[in-house]
């Protein structure tokens, strides 16, 4: 799902609605008879808020993608066996390339 | 008999065959002089008929029979739309297609958020507004088989419990009540998309025999229990569903009526 849809969910959890076409306010058809449709302004503001949160976590997503490529348990075991610091060095190197 | 040339401009006394061959040419004949009674049987041969001389108006009703048609003479473009009825189709191996209904064939992205399930359980069936979920097919023969073919491109399924295909015996899109629904296909991937959005292609074939003639109603349902939470899914996901899944997708539902 997109940030646009996340924003609808954030403003109106578990509401009934439908989008036909791209994620645009004009394409949002409101089906819920209890919860009211958010205004375009409310939705735009919420999209911006969620986008900012998403963007602020860009470094974390990049770090995680690289962490997932490592066999960290094996690195830690080998470091202990060999008295080396390859695991700590690699983690620091990744953090350095993707700072907060 | 003596040949007499009268002063009035007439010649008498000529016997039949009395003129030499080749004496009377076309220019000597008066306009409209050759009437039907003067044309011998089989006298007009094909070569003597000018091209395009025989017009539609000169062809009698029902004059052209099957034997007059050359092999492969009737091409597709000469068959009027709707001319060939089901009864004119030969029965052959594999049966014959009586009717094919293209119920849905679309690539338009639609995102649904539904808080009351399309699932049929203790609660009545919920009719989504303006969705693709409901289709009809009018069956023309009591002995035929309805074959339902469907392929639905579904993306970003969240918090969904079931996917199912139903036939209703009720009065169309307003039908409610569990007893009115017959389940035809079912995917019970419970909690499909819970936590992580998933994508699926829901497809299958269902053959239905013994159905009466008339209109039959079909539903395609995604949903969850009526627990106040919503289920979401995207029909025909496209680039909105992620840049790594580029391009649009398409869903198709075809209902065929076949004499087996």
């Amino acid at each position: 799902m997109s940030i646009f849809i996340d924003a609808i969910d954030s403003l109106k959890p578990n509401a009934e609605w439908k989008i036909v076409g791209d994620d645009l306010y004009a394409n949002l058809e409101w089906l819920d008879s209890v919860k009211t449709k958010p205004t375009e302004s409310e939705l735009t503001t919420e999209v911006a808020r969620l986008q900012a949160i998403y963007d602020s976590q860009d470094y974390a997503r990049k770090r995680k993608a690289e962490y997932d490529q490592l066999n960290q348990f094996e690195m830690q075991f080998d470091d202990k066996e060999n008295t080396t610091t390859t695991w700590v060095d690699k983690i620091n190197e990744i953090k350095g390339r993707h700072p907060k | 008999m003596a040949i007499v040339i009268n002063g009035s401009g007439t010649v008498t006394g000529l016997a039949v065959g009395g003129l030499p061959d080749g004496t009377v040419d076309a220019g000597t004949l008066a306009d409209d002089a050759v009437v039907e009674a003067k044309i011998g049987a089989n006298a007009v041969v094909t070569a003597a008929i000018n091209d395009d001389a025989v017009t539609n108006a000169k062809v009698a009703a029902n004059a052209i029979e099957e034997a007059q048609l050359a092999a492969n003479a009737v091409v597709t473009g000469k068959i009027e739309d709707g001319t060939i009825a089901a009864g004119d189709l030969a029965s052959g191996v594999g049966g014959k297609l009586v009717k094919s209904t293209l119920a849905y064939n679309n690539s338009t992205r639609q995102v649904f958020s539904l808080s009351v399930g399309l699932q049929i359980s203790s609660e009545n069936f919920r009719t989504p507004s303006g969705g693709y979920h409901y289709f009809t097919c009018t069956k023309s023969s009591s002995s035929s088989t309805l074959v339902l073919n469907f392929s639905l491109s579904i993306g970003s399924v969240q918090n969904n419990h079931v996917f199912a295909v139903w036939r209703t015996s009720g009065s169309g899109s307003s039908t409610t009540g569990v007893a009115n629904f017959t389940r035809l296909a079912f995917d019970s991937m419970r909690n499909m998309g819970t936590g992580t959005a998933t994508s699926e292609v829901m497809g299958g074939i269902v053959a239905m025999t013994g159905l009466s003639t008339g209109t039959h109603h079909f539903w395609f349902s995604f949903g969850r229990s009526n627990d106040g939470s919503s289920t979401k899914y995207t029909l025909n996901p496209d680039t909105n569903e992620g840049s790594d899944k580029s391009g649009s997708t398409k869903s198709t539902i075809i209902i065929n009526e076949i004499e087996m």
Side-chain angles (χ1 to χ4, degrees):
Chain A
M1 293 289 175
S2 65
I3 288 179
F4 183 82
I5 292 171
D6 289 341
I8 301 172
D9 256 353
S10 174
L11 293 172
K12 305 288 179 177
N14 297 321
E16 288 193 64
W17 46 263
K18 185 175 78 170
I19 295 170
V20 179
D22 291 333
D23 288 337
L24 300 171
Y25 188 81
N27 294 336
L28 174 60
E29 181 181 343
W30 203 249
L31 307 177
D32 204 297
S33 59
V34 177
K35 297 174 181 175
T36 57
K37 183 180 181 179
T39 66
E40 186 168 13
S41 174
E42 289 171 337
L43 197 50
T44 301
T45 301
E46 186 65 7
V47 166
R49 188 184 73 83
L50 295 179
Q51 186 68 56
I53 293 172
Y54 180 84
D55 291 345
S56 72
Q57 295 299 306
D58 183 59
Y59 77 93
R61 286 189 297 275
K62 288 176 177 173
R63 286 181 181 180
K64 184 177 184 310
E66 294 201 37
Y67 293 158
D68 290 345
Q69 301 298 314
L70 305 176
N71 189 341
Q72 296 194 50
F73 284 135
E74 185 174 352
M75 293 173 77
Q76 291 166 14
F77 176 84
D78 290 345
D79 281 345
K80 187 173 183 180
E81 287 291 300
N82 303 324
T83 320
T84 55
T85 59
T86 57
W87 175 65
V88 171
D89 293 344
K90 184 63 179 176
I91 295 296
N92 281 330
E93 186 263 329
I94 292 172
K95 285 177 181 285
R97 279 192 288 107
H98 304 296
K100 287 186 180 179
Chain B
M1 181 184 290
I3 294 173
V4 177
I5 300 174
N6 298 310
S8 59
T10 60
V11 177
T12 60
L14 270 176
V16 174
L19 289 176
D21 291 347
T23 304
V24 180
D25 62 9
T28 308
L29 290 174
D31 290 346
D32 301 323
V34 181
V35 296
E36 180 182 355
K38 297 299 182 184
I39 300 174
N42 303 316
V44 180
V45 298
T46 304
I49 301 173
N50 204 28
D51 289 348
D52 302 325
V54 181
T55 63
N56 287 341
K58 296 301 181 185
V59 180
N62 302 316
I64 300 176
E65 298 177 336
E66 180 183 353
Q68 269 67 55
L69 292 174
N72 304 318
V74 181
V75 299
T76 304
K78 295 299 182 184
I79 300 174
E80 190 175 359
D81 289 350
T83 300
I84 301 177
D88 295 325
L89 293 172
S91 292
V93 176
K96 63 181 178 183
L97 181 62
V98 178
K99 189 171 76 173
S100 186
T101 301
L102 185 59
Y104 185 78
N105 191 35
N106 204 304
S107 59
T108 300
R109 174 182 184 255
Q110 292 189 66
V111 185
F112 295 94
S113 174
L114 302 166
S115 64
V116 176
L118 292 169
Q119 179 182 354
I120 300 168
S121 57
S122 57
E123 68 268 25
N124 277 336
F125 196 82
R126 177 62 180 267
T127 305
S129 172
Y132 74 98
H133 306 82
Y134 171 69
F135 301 101
T136 63
C137 172
T138 302
K139 193 167 177 281
S140 59
S141 169
S142 59
S143 61
S144 63
T145 299
L146 284 186
V147 180
L148 184 67
N149 303 269
F150 60 96
S151 175
L152 304 176
S153 298
I154 306 293
S156 300
V157 184
Q158 287 185 342
N159 302 320
N160 189 68
H161 287 177
V162 295
F163 165 74
V165 182
W166 310 84
R167 182 178 65 81
T168 59
S169 56
S171 55
S173 61
S174 60
T175 298
T176 58
V178 176
N180 290 318
F181 287 79
T182 301
R183 193 166 63 190
L184 304 172
F186 184 59
D187 189 333
S188 63
M189 287 190 292
R190 189 147 184 98
N191 300 324
M192 180 167 59
T194 297
T196 304
T198 58
S199 297
E200 309 281 347
V201 174
M202 299 294 184
I205 299 174
V206 181
M208 293 156 278
T209 58
L211 298 181
S212 61
T213 58
T215 303
H216 292 273
H217 313 265
F218 298 95
W219 289 90
F220 291 78
S221 64
F222 281 83
R224 59 181 293 117
S225 300
N226 187 11
D227 58 3
S229 296
S230 65
T231 184
K232 293 185 188 62
Y233 67 93
T234 303
L235 177 69
N236 303 323
D238 61 14
T239 51
N240 286 279
E241 272 56 55
S243 58
D244 57 332
K245 305 180 185 67
S246 60
S248 60
T249 55
K250 194 170 191 176
S251 297
T252 300
I253 300 170
I254 298 174
I255 306 170
N256 290 328
E257 182 179 357
I258 297 174
E259 292 283 5
M260 295 291 189

